[in-house]
């Protein structure tokens, strides 16, 4: 990172609130409880052209969060400081300086990085703050701000720009102009399925905290990296690791509620979604709900079954008793049944790639990224209009749509209108008459015909406009004729009527 600004300080001084203030959006979770932020949360600040990083609080007590998480969090802070161009050291102006503040300031002075002392919670200016105390830290002129209300924000932004510009060496800085846009991928899934472990494997470092404690990851954490694909080319990626998504009815605290929101928001920013399942637990109802969230956002999906090393070890050692593996004769049979369960329970993701991986051993991990590159390329396809209409006619003839409210759904014309995701506009008789199961049948047919496996396909229905002047103007003779046809027609279908008067387009352009 050529220009990186890192926010540090003890717990509960307002680091995450300041991070959100500078980012001008809610990214880090803000809460009065100490130790909420654990991983290093990053975002790009356009105003100043730098990367801003929010870190966990330094000096947490052992009783507030497990000791291993404290150590891991402080290791993340140390890494962020090492890569920083500028450090924002935040202290609590209302509470005053503590021994921990003094100790952190002493460590920062030993380093060679420029430090800005930020005195937060100055909601009423400097009148309730001991200004002299801030100077005793020996970090130069303090900046008094209120991260909650925005007081002093402009001065802080100006100071950050001045320090970053002064630190520039004048050497050419690599620019992103003209460079390919990173392919954004994210891991979503239940807590403790191994999303952070997979992220660390892809990043080839322990950048994210991994623990057996469910809910270790709380914020959505973003990192950029490069991957050399099967085509031998370097592909830029942006990786988002999300907190485990619990069912809404099982959220036990505001922190879990906001973690869930951040995870769901991350899906919207993503190009390809990895839905992570636990190999030892099978496909659960919550897995189905999580995949449904990605489908709701029209995102292509890759289903990743993690912890396959545990499955392999259990069958090799004969320790399947007492686990979900009990009753299966070997690893191959279990894998086949797992695949079948995925396709049955995640039926609304037709053709999505299914990959069995291990974050611990690295088994098939690179295949995930190769699949993401391939899937992203597929989204650029153009579906020929003539071929699409021929397919729609074939599908309708092979399996006619069911009648809804006495009328059978009828398609007159279809054409692709956009990519990412694929959207197909369908001109029909009544848009409200397309049953959900028949919609899925048409989507699966289009996906199979044009090899769009894993890519969402959505239909925008345009019903036939009814001329209000024609309504109620049938003659008694025609009404009697329709009644006779209705009596002799198949059950539930209404023949004739204004639908038969519709003339399709005279020409179909490919």
């Amino acid at each position: 990172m050529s220009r990186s600004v890192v926010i540090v300080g003890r717990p509960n001084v307002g680091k995450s609130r300041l991070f959100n203030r500078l980012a001008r959006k809610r990214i880090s979770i803000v809460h009065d409880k100490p130790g909420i932020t654990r991983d290093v949360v990053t975002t790009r600040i356009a105003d100043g052209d730098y990367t801003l990083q929010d870190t966990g609080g330094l000096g947490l007590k052992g009783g507030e969060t497990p000791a291993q998480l404290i150590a891991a969090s402080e290791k993340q802070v140390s890494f962020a400081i090492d890569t920083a161009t500028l450090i924002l050291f935040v202290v609590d102006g209302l509470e005053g300086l503590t021994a921990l503040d003094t100790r952190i300031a002493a460590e920062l002075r030993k380093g060679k990085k420029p430090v800005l002392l930020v005195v937060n919670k100055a909601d009423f200016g400097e009148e309730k703050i001991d200004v002299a105390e801030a100077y005793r830290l020996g970090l130069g002129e303090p900046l008094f701000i209120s991260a909650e209300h925005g007081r002093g924000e402009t001065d802080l932004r100006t100071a950050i720009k001045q320090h970053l510009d002064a630190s520039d060496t004048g050497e050419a800085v690599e620019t992103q102009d003209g460079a390919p846009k990173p392919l954004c991928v994210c891991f979503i899934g239940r807590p403790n399925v191994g999303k952070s472990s997979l992220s660390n494997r892809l990043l080839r470092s322990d950048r994210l905290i991994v623990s057996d404690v469910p809910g270790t990851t709380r914020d959505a954490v973003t990192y950029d990296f490069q991957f050399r694909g099967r085509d031998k080319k370097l592909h830029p990626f942006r990786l988002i690791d999300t907190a485990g998504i619990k069912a809404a009815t099982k959220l036990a605290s505001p922190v879990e509620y906001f973690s869930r929101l951040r995870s769901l928001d991350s899906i919207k920013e993503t190009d390809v979604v990895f839905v992570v399942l636990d190999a030892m637990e099978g496909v659960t109802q919550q897995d189905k709900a999580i995949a449904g969230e990605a489908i709701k956002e029209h995102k292509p999906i890759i289903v990743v079954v993690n912890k396959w090393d545990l499955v392999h070890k259990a069958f090799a050692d004969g320790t399947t008793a007492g686990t979900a593996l009990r009753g299966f004769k070997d690893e191959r049979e279990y894998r086949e049944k797992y695949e079948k369960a995925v396709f049955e329970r995640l039926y609304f993701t037709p053709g999505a790639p299914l990959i069995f991986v291990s974050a611990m051993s690295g088994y098939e991990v690179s295949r995930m990224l190769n699949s993401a590159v391939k899937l992203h390329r597929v989204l650029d396809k153009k579906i020929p209009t003539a071929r699409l209409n021929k397919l729609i006619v074939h599908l309708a003839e092979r399996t006619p749509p069911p009648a809804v409210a006495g009328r059978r759904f009828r398609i007159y014309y279809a054409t692709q209108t956009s990519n990412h995701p694929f959207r197909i506009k369908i001109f029909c008789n009544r848009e409200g008459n397309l049953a959900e199961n028949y919609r899925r049948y048409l989507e699966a047919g289009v996906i199979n015909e044009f090899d769009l496996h894993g890519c969402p396909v959505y239909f925008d229905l345009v019903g036939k406009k009814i001329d209000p002047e024609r309504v109620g103007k049938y003659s008694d003779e025609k009404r009697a004729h329709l009644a006779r046809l209705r009596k002799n027609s198949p059950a539930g279908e209404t023949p004739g009527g204004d639908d038969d008067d519709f003339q399709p387009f005279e020409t179909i352009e490919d």
Side-chain angles (χ1 to χ4, degrees):
M1 300 179 187
S2 58
R3 292 160 65 95
S4 175
V5 178
V6 177
I7 303 175
V8 301
R10 62 182 172 84
N12 243 25
V13 293
K15 298 184 299 300
S16 293
R17 197 180 293 277
L18 176 60
F19 177 86
N20 290 343
R21 170 68 63 179
L22 293 174
R24 291 194 172 104
K25 56 183 176 180
R26 295 178 180 178
I27 301 176
S28 283
I29 297 175
V30 176
H31 196 274
D32 292 338
K33 181 181 177 181
I36 297 302
T37 302
R38 289 172 176 170
D39 289 298
V40 176
V41 183
T42 65
T43 190
R44 191 70 187 171
I45 307 297
D47 181 19
D49 187 27
Y50 62 90
T51 299
L52 182 66
Q53 302 185 67
D54 182 24
T55 64
L58 290 167
L60 274 172
K61 299 176 183 177
E64 293 170 341
T65 189
Q68 289 181 338
L69 296 185
I70 295 174
S73 180
E74 294 200 355
K75 182 179 178 182
Q76 300 290 306
V77 177
S78 176
F79 182 88
I81 291 175
D82 289 342
T83 62
T85 308
L86 174 66
I87 299 170
L88 303 185
F89 177 38
V90 184
V91 298
D92 189 325
L94 289 181
E95 187 177 321
L97 296 182
T98 67
L100 181 56
D101 288 323
T102 304
R103 192 164 75 245
I104 295 173
E107 291 297 322
L108 294 176
R109 286 198 305 271
K110 292 178 183 177
K112 298 180 180 180
K113 301 294 178 69
V115 179
L116 275 178
L117 176 60
V118 179
V119 182
N120 190 26
K121 304 183 183 180
D123 300 351
F124 305 98
E126 304 172 17
E127 56 189 66
K128 294 187 177 182
I129 295 175
D130 187 346
V131 178
E133 189 178 40
Y135 280 96
R136 282 198 295 270
L137 290 176
L139 294 174
E141 185 81 20
L143 290 168
F144 297 91
I145 70 160
S146 169
E148 183 171 3
H149 301 292
R151 180 186 293 270
E153 177 185 350
T154 301
D155 293 339
L156 177 58
R157 289 184 184 276
T158 300
I160 291 173
K161 288 182 182 179
Q162 290 174 348
H163 277 77
L164 291 177
D165 292 342
S167 66
D168 285 343
T169 60
E171 298 176 358
V173 179
E174 185 177 352
T175 176
Q176 294 297 321
D177 294 342
K181 180 184 177 183
L183 174 58
C184 188
V185 297
C186 79
F187 290 109
I188 62 172
R190 294 181 289 113
N192 240 29
V193 295
K195 299 182 297 299
S196 294
S197 296
L198 285 169
S199 297
N200 283 341
R201 172 64 67 172
L202 295 181
L203 296 171
R204 298 181 179 181
S205 70
D206 296 330
R207 292 303 311 275
L208 297 161
I209 299 174
V210 176
S211 171
D212 293 334
V213 179
T216 298
T217 303
R218 287 168 168 168
D219 294 285
V221 187
T222 305
Y223 288 103
D224 289 347
F225 68 102
Q226 288 187 320
F227 168 73
R228 190 174 297 279
R230 290 195 186 103
D231 55 5
K232 307 303 181 184
K233 295 180 180 178
L234 276 178
H235 299 275
F237 272 85
R238 177 159 295 145
L239 171 66
I240 304 178
D241 179 43
T242 65
I245 301 176
K246 289 186 175 182
T249 56
K250 294 185 178 180
L251 300 177
S253 69
V255 173
E256 291 184 354
Y257 169 77
F258 287 114
S259 291
R260 174 185 166 88
L261 287 186
R262 297 295 190 274
S263 297
L264 296 180
D265 286 343
S266 297
I267 297 174
K268 301 175 184 178
E269 304 173 10
T270 306
D271 297 314
V272 177
V273 174
F274 293 116
V275 178
V276 185
L277 311 181
D278 191 318
M280 297 292 289
E281 297 180 6
V283 188
T284 69
Q285 186 63 31
Q286 182 59 12
D287 292 325
K288 181 178 177 180
I290 291 169
E293 294 292 343
I295 291 294
K296 194 185 301 181
E297 296 297 334
H298 306 171
K299 299 298 181 179
I301 287 176
I302 296 174
V303 180
V304 176
V305 183
N306 190 27
K307 305 183 183 180
W308 197 252
D309 58 306
L310 299 182
V311 174
H312 177 75
K313 186 176 185 300
F315 278 108
D317 298 343
T319 57
T320 61
T323 68
L325 313 180
R326 185 181 66 254
F328 296 93
K329 63 180 181 180
D330 55 27
E331 181 181 339
R332 180 177 180 179
E333 182 187 9
Y334 182 70
R335 180 168 179 152
E336 290 174 352
K337 293 294 176 63
Y338 203 112
E339 287 183 8
K340 183 178 179 181
V342 168
F343 294 134
E344 286 179 352
R345 299 182 186 181
L346 306 185
Y347 56 84
F348 45 81
T349 61
L354 175 61
I355 306 174
F356 294 84
V357 306
S358 168
M360 295 300 294
S361 68
Y363 171 70
E364 294 283 46
V365 167
S366 63
R367 188 179 164 200
M368 294 189 307
L369 297 181
N370 280 312
S371 296
V373 171
K374 179 181 177 181
L375 209 55
H376 197 58
R377 285 175 178 167
V378 170
L379 287 168
D380 293 328
K381 273 189 176 182
K382 176 69 173 71
I383 301 175
T385 304
R387 189 176 163 194
L388 173 63
N389 281 274
K390 184 178 179 180
L391 171 67
I392 294 292
V393 170
H394 169 71
L395 293 173
E397 289 179 349
R398 186 177 67 182
T399 305
V404 178
R407 289 184 178 274
R408 193 177 295 277
F409 181 74
R410 188 177 302 172
I411 298 175
Y412 301 120
Y413 181 76
T415 183
Q416 180 187 0
T417 57
S418 70
N419 306 71
H420 299 269
F422 290 104
R423 303 198 77 96
I424 296 175
K425 182 174 286 187
I426 291 181
F427 297 88
C428 56
N429 56 345
R430 295 287 187 275
E431 60 264 37
N433 286 12
L434 178 59
E436 184 58 32
N437 59 345
Y438 199 76
R439 178 192 290 268
R440 288 200 299 269
Y441 163 72
L442 293 176
E443 289 174 358
V446 172
I447 288 171
N448 289 328
E449 175 68 20
F450 298 104
D451 195 19
L452 309 179
H453 300 293
C455 301
V457 174
Y458 291 92
F459 297 140
D460 296 319
L461 304 181
V462 180
K464 180 190 167 189
K465 295 182 179 179
I466 300 176
D467 185 355
E469 295 182 0
R470 295 176 56 192
V471 177
K473 289 188 177 181
Y474 288 123
S475 65
D476 293 339
E477 181 180 350
K478 186 169 183 178
R479 291 180 186 278
H481 174 65
L482 290 174
R484 288 193 298 271
L485 288 177
R486 189 177 296 110
K487 183 178 180 180
N488 297 324
S489 66
E493 182 174 354
T494 301
D498 57 333
D499 291 338
D500 292 338
D501 298 330
F502 183 87
Q503 296 297 322
F505 293 93
E506 294 179 2
T507 59
I508 297 180
E509 296 182 0
D510 190 350

